[in-house]
Amino acid sequence: MTIRIFGWIGGGMALVYNIPQLYRNYQRKTCDDISKSSLCLRVISYILYIIHGWLIEDPPLLWMTLGGMIQIIIIWIQIVMYHDKCHKTETVIMPQTSMDPIETVTV
């Protein structure tokens, strides 16, 4: 029973590392720099860890992984909520200031 304290501490610390990302997404109202494939892999790994924790009856592993999964779901919700802002572009037409033809610049 006392050995599980390491699981609770480690799991609690693992829950903390998503909080800055959640807050940053909320503050900036954008998720354009988050890798969707990385999130998909994390969801799959969390599901496998949850099943494993349930099968071996390890509460720290089960509950802390479930907490991490909830955080990833919140990040997915943020991606959906802020999707329009991430992909919204504005077209600005600048007035021509001279009678010269438009220059073409090759980069």
Side-chain angles (χ1 to χ4, degrees), residues 3-104:
I3 294 175
R4 288 192 177 171
I5 191 72
F6 295 108
W8 287 110
I9 292 170
M13 291 176 72
L15 287 177
V16 172
Y17 78 85
N18 282 323
I19 293 173
Q21 184 67 55
L22 289 165
Y23 181 71
R24 181 173 181 244
N25 296 346
Y26 172 75
Q27 193 174 37
R28 293 176 55 225
K29 303 286 190 252
T30 182
C31 301
D32 57 347
D33 57 348
I34 295 177
S35 168
K36 277 66 166 187
S37 57
S38 173
L39 286 178
C40 287
L41 289 173
R42 286 175 64 186
V43 166
I44 292 168
S45 69
Y46 279 146
I47 290 169
L48 294 173
Y49 271 125
I50 290 168
I51 292 169
H52 176 68
W54 179 63
L55 291 175
I56 66 168
E57 298 178 3
D58 186 359
L61 181 62
L62 178 65
W63 291 109
M64 295 303 166
T65 306
L66 187 60
M69 179 76 151
I70 291 169
Q71 290 176 337
I72 295 302
I73 290 169
I74 293 170
I75 291 174
W76 275 111
I77 291 169
Q78 288 177 327
I79 289 171
V80 170
M81 285 175 52
Y82 306 142
H83 176 72
D84 289 338
K85 184 175 180 186
C86 292
H87 299 289
K88 191 180 216 179
T89 58
E90 291 184 22
T91 304
V92 178
I93 299 174
M94 300 297 292
Q96 191 173 356
T97 57
S98 69
M99 298 307 278
D100 297 331
I102 299 173
E103 281 186 39
T104 304

